[in-house]
Amino acid sequence: MLDRIRQALKSHFEKRRIILWYDQKHEWRETFEALALDGVEKIELVNNEFGVKYRVLREEPKGKFLLYREGTEPAPIENWLLDVQLANGVFRTDQVGAWLAELGLGLPFENLIRTHEEFFKAGKRLEQLKQRLGPEDTESAVRLKMLGICTVASGGFDTIVESLLGELADGKDEKLRLIKRAGLDAFLWQQMQRHVGYQADEPSMKDFAIGLFKACYTMGTGGTTAFLPDAQVLFQRWKNNRNCADAFETLSREYAAVLAISQDLGKRDFRDLMELDYFEEIDRTIIRNLVHEVSSQTVSFADVSTWIRQRRTSHWFGNYKHIYEAIRFASEVLQTIEQANLSVSGLTDGVQRYASTWFRIDQLYRKFIHHMQQASQPSLLGEMNKQVENLYVNKYLLNLNDAWQVHVDKAERWDTPTITPQRTFYSAFVAPFRRKDQRICVVISDALRYEIGEEFLSRVRSLDRYEAEIAPMLSSLPSYTQLGMASLLPNKDIQIADNDTGVVIVDGQSAQGLANRQKILESGRAGDRVHACKADEIMGMPGDDARALVRDNDVIYIYHNRIDATGDKTVSEERVFEAAEETQEDLLKLVKKLTGANVNNILVTADHGFIYQNRPIEESDYSAGEVKGETVLFRDRRFVLGKGLSEHPSFRKFTPGALGLQGDVDVLIPKSINRLRLKGSGSRYVHGGASLQECVVPVVTINKKRQSDLSRVEVDIIGNSSRTISSGQVSVVLYQTAAVTEKAHPRNLRAAFYAASGEPLSDIHELPFDIRSENPREREIPVRFLMTRKADEFNGQEITLRLEEREEGTSHYKEYRTARFTLRGRFEKDFDF
């Protein structure tokens, strides 16, 4: 006990030089007499108060004294040392005194301790408070820290509110009941009024929470409310805190019905809601309106793109990502088709224009269909889907290939002077590497049509230290797997077998199957070590085995098949665009595996492309012609093989010589995009014909570089010229200095205003800078900040707008860019609500 009292007194004397000790029950004399405190003189009070007072105040004004009195404390009017006592404090040996001593708090805090005794009865809470106390703490500050401990919150008042809202969402009230038992409930509601303006005759967390949602929604839609503007800042921070996401979503969904949000949104223009995300119904309302506007083509793609970019910061965006993306791609494909010039002046012109421009329409259509399917909202997106399908098939796909067919019909040979024919792939692309004794890997992905190859090219370029380029190649006709695969091998003579198999012969050797293709590869360059395998084989190899395979071979052909394997089956053809996405992921992994095995040069190409229409095929999409001839050997949806095949206006007939083939097997191909009727096969995904989508295939050349070549786009703060803030709402323009490209990646920043001490003075925005537009005006992003009432304390001073970037792989942020602003005005009275 002596040690405990000595330690408690020592703590008191660290802050004061005079301590009074009243021994009311005459039980501490021995302890007093046994005490020895360095630098402290003990004096017993026995009718000597005046002399002691003179000594401690006048004679030894810097000395430290412990004044002990045996008996009760004198009444104030009779207490000669009352002023000394009030200025310094009393050492008490009851429980309250022990708590005061342990916390290092003086007499002014005695009433606080007695008022909230229940709080201090738990040793854990006492220890936590002791660790949080500071030398300048007021009673209010101490109570705020006590609230923080009761709610397991470690920050300011906003974190206390977040914790209580989380408990409310969980349907619990343990923290709130502890606050009440500790006598802190009145203080809590006082702080609610002070910080956010909430007051009620019978305050409760549910009443507060409903009021908070209502007030912030009202502020966001331009209305007025009794809540303070700081309520919106607190609400934004809570909503954007990832740790509070579940609580926010639970309460938001519950209170949307209580506040009749759906009915209110029905009266508003969706354009006015782009900055709001307090309720999920806001996103649904915006989506329904966007679908209608895009379907009606009453809004521009630029507007749609801007709106969806704004919604990307919405709390609910992840729930509707595929719907938003479907809307964006629908808008772009519709606008692109409307603006497209589909005239064709010849075979070469058609291929070149497709590879430079038109492929983008097929790409946009594919992305739209993929996201629409992933969204799984056929009723919601039905109107828009119908519009896209009609325009894509009738105005683009059919018209383009009708114009292209004119030149296909005129051509004496299936050839163009400037576009590499597929049958020369080995000599044009592979042989140059071998002439330099460079190792080369060729990846052939079945049905990787040009537009998918172009997207894959962008993904490769976005990787660090990868360089890639793309070139179009004109596939052999018919554009089917057996002939396409054969054409990619070294060859002199290619012919289609004179039977019903559709097998292709290269220099007398069947090109069907890996073993046969391996043999044909060996006929390439004399002495070359070659290997043919499937992609799965490479991906399943341990690293050492892959490096050994690469080391021991000069030419490696790797075959990948996901798109064609999916599209060629009736039961799965509708998943072909999903397979296109998966194919790109497969190929990226394969490229990384190969470069990790010391491959520096990679070619990625395809045997053929394809046509795909998501809607069921209509009667008009089938060829009206009847196939006739001496012998029909093989028929598919898009081509017929035979001998002595008859000419017909619905078909383009090719002799083997016209197609650069040997033998005597003729080919009939339905014109434009028409199909042949065929039992037991799919009709939406087809290939084998001469459409641009089927016969323009990509050759992607990939090289691994030694040095890093990636960067991130830069962001500048434009702001206003005066850099003065005189309103509770501040608009600042942030400028993405260049478009996002494969090598210039997006940058994600956090933005807010801060005092010099680091205290936030506004709401905090999470901002993605990922704009690909080359138009500088479209890369300007206006951001509206809400200043807190705390900003009033810095009136006339400089504050900082700080852009921060998350340290990759961590939760820590580093400063990216700053700008100084001067506060001029009284903000708590100057909000535009």
Side-chain angles (χ1 to χ4, degrees):
M1 180 59 72
L2 179 63
D3 289 339
R4 180 181 172 187
I5 290 178
R6 181 186 293 111
Q7 188 60 39
L9 286 167
K10 183 179 178 182
S11 176
H12 276 294
F13 277 114
E14 287 176 357
K15 300 178 180 179
R16 304 167 186 83
R17 72 181 190 91
I18 303 170
I19 300 294
L20 285 92
W21 182 0
Y22 296 108
D23 184 3
Q24 297 183 24
K25 297 183 181 180
H26 305 268
E27 56 186 347
W28 298 105
R29 175 171 289 281
E30 290 184 9
T31 304
F32 171 71
E33 292 175 349
L35 270 174
L37 298 169
D38 291 340
V40 177
E41 184 173 346
K42 300 186 299 180
I43 301 176
E44 183 176 357
L45 298 175
V46 188
N47 297 320
N48 57 349
E49 286 83 350
F50 183 78
V52 170
K53 183 175 184 178
Y54 184 81
R55 178 184 174 187
V56 300
L57 295 182
R58 294 299 181 90
E59 293 182 339
E60 300 180 49
K62 294 185 179 180
K64 291 186 176 182
F65 300 92
L66 175 60
L67 309 182
Y68 172 83
R69 175 189 174 99
E70 192 172 48
T72 59
E73 178 181 343
I77 197 168
E78 298 174 358
N79 192 346
W80 285 85
L81 296 170
L82 181 61
D83 53 344
V84 176
Q85 178 176 312
L86 292 174
N88 292 275
V90 175
F91 176 65
R92 301 189 184 278
T93 51
D94 60 0
Q95 185 60 68
V96 171
W99 288 332
L100 281 169
E102 187 167 346
L103 293 170
L105 296 173
L107 182 62
F109 290 91
E110 180 183 354
N111 185 57
L112 181 147
I113 300 289
R114 294 192 183 281
T115 303
H116 308 293
E117 280 194 42
E118 183 65 28
F119 175 91
F120 299 97
K121 288 179 180 179
K124 185 178 179 181
R125 291 197 293 268
L126 192 68
E127 182 60 31
Q128 289 175 334
L129 182 60
K130 184 177 179 181
Q131 292 173 3
R132 296 190 184 195
L133 289 176
E136 304 300 325
D137 280 343
T138 61
E139 283 195 36
S140 181
V142 173
R143 285 191 173 94
L144 201 59
K145 291 175 180 179
M146 291 164 67
L147 276 180
I149 292 167
C150 289
T151 56
V152 197
S154 57
F157 184 70
D158 55 341
T159 65
I160 293 168
V161 176
E162 288 175 2
S163 178
L164 291 172
L165 288 170
E167 184 179 58
L168 177 66
D170 289 339
K172 300 176 182 178
D173 65 351
E174 285 89 346
K175 295 173 183 176
L176 208 56
R177 283 193 285 114
L178 174 58
I179 289 172
K180 191 168 185 177
R181 287 202 315 273
L184 288 164
D185 49 328
F187 178 76
L188 170 66
W189 301 120
Q190 288 170 6
Q191 294 304 302
M192 287 289 198
Q193 181 176 354
R194 175 175 173 268
H195 284 271
V196 298
Y198 169 73
Q199 52 184 325
D201 294 336
E202 297 181 9
S204 70
M205 275 309 300
K206 183 173 183 179
D207 184 64
F208 163 73
I210 293 174
L212 181 65
F213 272 91
K214 181 180 181 180
C216 291
Y217 178 75
T218 301
M219 292 178 191
T221 52
T224 58
T225 172
F227 274 64
L228 299 172
D230 277 19
Q232 196 171 20
V233 177
L234 180 148
F235 186 84
Q236 294 274 30
R237 290 179 186 170
W238 172 56
K239 174 179 64 69
N240 296 334
N241 185 336
R242 295 178 184 179
N243 297 325
C244 302
D246 289 344
F248 166 72
E249 291 170 13
T250 297
L251 297 181
S252 175
R253 289 181 173 125
E254 180 181 344
Y255 300 155
V258 173
L259 298 171
I261 295 300
S262 293
Q263 294 89 317
D264 184 78
L265 289 171
K267 307 170 188 175
R268 299 186 182 277
D269 189 323
F270 77 96
R271 296 166 181 81
D272 298 331
L273 305 173
M274 292 301 168
E275 292 186 7
L276 302 183
D277 64 345
Y278 304 150
F279 300 97
E280 191 171 9
E281 187 58 34
I282 295 173
D283 279 86
R284 292 174 179 155
T285 298
I286 290 172
I287 284 169
R288 284 192 292 267
N289 280 276
L290 282 178
V291 168
H292 176 71
E293 297 285 348
V294 169
S295 301
S296 305
Q297 293 184 266
T298 52
V299 289
S300 69
F301 168 66
D303 285 340
V304 172
S305 181
T306 298
W307 290 329
I308 292 177
R309 187 168 63 247
Q310 282 181 275
R311 296 312 296 169
R312 287 188 62 185
T313 59
S314 161
H315 182 90
W316 312 95
F317 182 82
N319 296 359
Y320 301 100
K321 178 179 178 181
H322 287 296
I323 299 178
Y324 277 119
E325 288 298 282
I327 293 169
R328 183 169 69 87
F329 282 114
S331 178
E332 188 171 7
V333 73
L334 290 174
Q335 180 173 299
T336 306
I337 291 172
E338 291 288 3
Q339 296 175 350
N341 176 358
L342 302 179
S343 62
V344 183
S345 62
L347 290 185
T348 299
D349 177 62
V351 174
Q352 288 177 337
R353 293 187 68 187
Y354 182 81
S356 63
T357 305
W358 295 328
F359 79 87
R360 178 66 177 156
I361 295 175
D362 293 301
Q363 193 176 76
L364 292 170
Y365 173 75
R366 171 173 60 82
K367 302 297 282 187
F368 163 71
I369 296 296
H370 171 68
H371 287 292
M372 185 191 67
Q373 290 174 337
Q374 294 297 309
S376 299
Q377 293 287 338
S379 297
L380 172 67
L381 301 177
E383 178 188 5
M384 190 169 68
N385 178 40
K386 183 179 179 180
Q387 182 71 9
V388 171
E389 283 288 336
N390 288 339
L391 215 61
Y392 174 76
V393 175
N394 298 324
K395 191 165 185 178
Y396 166 67
L397 193 61
L398 181 61
N399 286 351
L400 173 63
N401 282 293
D402 281 351
W404 164 251
Q405 187 67 45
V406 172
H407 301 284
V408 173
D409 290 345
K410 290 179 181 178
E412 295 183 3
R413 291 180 59 83
W414 181 246
D415 212 343
T416 62
T418 59
I419 307 299
T420 303
Q422 192 177 40
R423 64 182 176 273
T424 67
F425 170 78
Y426 189 89
S427 60
F429 291 101
V430 178
F433 285 101
R434 295 307 303 133
R435 285 195 290 270
K436 299 176 186 177
D437 289 325
Q438 294 177 334
R439 184 180 292 110
I440 181 68
C441 278
V442 177
V443 178
I444 303 169
S445 186
D446 204 325
L448 185 78
R449 72 177 181 181
Y450 188 85
E451 56 91 2
I452 303 172
E454 195 278 341
E455 185 182 354
F456 171 68
L457 171 79
S458 294
R459 294 196 186 189
V460 173
R461 283 177 171 172
S462 69
L463 300 175
D464 194 18
R465 298 188 297 147
Y466 281 83
E467 191 176 69
E469 57 185 31
I470 192 171
M473 186 165 63
L474 187 65
S475 78
S476 298
L477 276 188
S479 55
Y480 74 113
T481 299
Q482 292 283 0
L483 182 56
M485 293 296 184
S487 300
L488 295 170
L489 296 165
N491 65 82
K492 294 178 182 176
D493 296 330
I494 300 178
Q495 68 179 74
I496 298 172
D498 187 2
N499 55 43
D500 62 358
T501 63
V503 169
V504 176
I505 311 298
V506 176
D507 300 335
Q509 172 73 51
S510 167
Q512 189 173 31
L514 277 176
N516 288 328
R517 292 172 190 171
Q518 171 90 24
K519 292 177 183 177
I520 298 170
L521 269 177
E522 291 170 353
S523 69
R525 184 186 188 220
D528 273 357
R529 300 165 299 169
V530 301
H531 183 74
C533 63
K534 293 184 177 180
D536 289 346
E537 178 186 335
I538 296 291
M539 293 307 299
M541 282 184 179
D544 289 344
D545 291 352
R547 282 186 285 273
L549 176 68
V550 170
R551 183 191 63 228
D552 296 340
N553 291 282
D554 303 307
V555 179
I556 301 173
Y557 267 48
I558 302 169
Y559 294 90
H560 174 271
N561 184 9
R562 187 184 290 274
I563 297 173
D564 206 53
T566 303
D568 262 346
K569 299 182 182 69
T570 306
V571 295
S572 61
E573 67 174 345
E574 68 176 11
R575 290 186 54 250
V576 70
F577 285 165
E578 182 181 345
E581 297 291 325
E582 294 168 349
T583 289
Q584 294 181 68
E585 293 299 322
D586 291 347
L587 295 179
L588 281 176
K589 291 175 183 176
L590 183 58
V591 166
K592 292 177 182 178
K593 183 72 177 271
L594 292 172
T595 55
N598 301 321
V599 175
N600 292 322
N601 302 301
I602 302 170
L603 296 171
V604 177
T605 190
D607 50 350
H608 58 75
F610 62 87
I611 298 172
Y612 179 79
Q613 297 169 226
N614 193 52
R615 73 181 187 191
I617 299 304
E618 299 176 355
E619 186 63 27
S620 60
D621 294 320
Y622 288 102
S623 174
E626 185 178 349
V627 176
K628 296 180 179 179
E630 295 175 14
T631 307
V632 176
L633 298 171
F634 186 94
R635 62 188 295 158
D636 207 334
R637 289 286 189 187
R638 288 285 289 156
F639 69 98
V640 178
L641 303 177
K643 292 185 177 181
L645 297 176
S646 303
E647 301 270 5
H648 189 281
S650 297
F651 300 102
R652 170 64 162 96
K653 178 181 176 180
F654 288 96
T655 63
L659 296 175
L661 302 174
Q662 279 64 49
D664 55 1
V665 176
D666 293 333
V667 177
L668 280 184
I669 293 179
K671 291 188 177 181
S672 190
I673 61 171
N674 289 334
R675 288 130 165 103
L676 292 169
R677 288 180 174 81
L678 193 68
K679 290 183 179 180
S681 68
S683 57
R684 289 188 283 173
Y685 169 89
V686 292
H687 61 87
S691 73
L692 286 163
Q693 287 76 11
E694 295 166 285
C695 65
V696 179
V697 294
V699 179
V700 180
T701 305
I702 302 170
N703 305 106
K704 185 71 180 291
K705 300 170 71 176
R706 293 185 178 275
Q707 293 183 332
S708 176
D709 59 355
L710 291 185
S711 63
R712 294 196 182 276
V713 293
E714 298 295 334
V715 178
D716 284 338
I717 302 169
I718 298 178
N720 52 51
S721 57
S722 64
R723 292 280 170 94
T724 298
I725 299 173
S726 57
S727 169
Q729 298 185 50
V730 186
S731 290
V732 177
V733 177
L734 303 178
Y735 175 58
Q736 181 183 307
T737 61
V740 166
T741 65
E742 290 93 346
K743 295 301 182 184
H745 284 194
R747 188 183 292 274
N748 295 306
L749 299 175
R750 183 173 74 177
F753 281 92
Y754 294 88
S757 62
E759 185 174 7
L761 301 178
S762 72
D763 55 344
I764 299 174
H765 293 261
E766 299 280 351
L767 302 168
F769 293 88
D770 56 359
I771 304 170
R772 293 182 174 272
S773 172
E774 294 293 340
N775 184 343
R777 293 304 299 269
E778 292 181 8
R779 298 198 302 274
E780 294 181 1
I781 300 177
V783 184
R784 182 170 62 94
F785 294 92
L786 301 174
M787 305 302 293
T788 66
R789 288 190 304 156
K790 187 74 175 176
D792 255 346
E793 299 176 14
F794 299 88
N795 194 25
Q797 301 179 34
E798 279 194 342
I799 62 171
T800 302
L801 172 60
R802 195 160 73 216
L803 306 185
E804 298 175 311
E805 188 169 30
R806 188 192 297 271
E807 189 69 41
E808 194 169 348
T810 75
S811 60
H812 300 286
Y813 283 82
K814 59 185 177 182
E815 186 178 285
Y816 170 72
R817 188 146 295 161
T818 63
R820 294 191 176 279
F821 288 72
T822 302
L823 291 172
R824 303 282 188 200
R826 299 292 295 176
F827 304 106
E828 64 178 325
K829 297 180 181 178
D830 195 29
F831 283 81
D832 301 327
F833 299 131

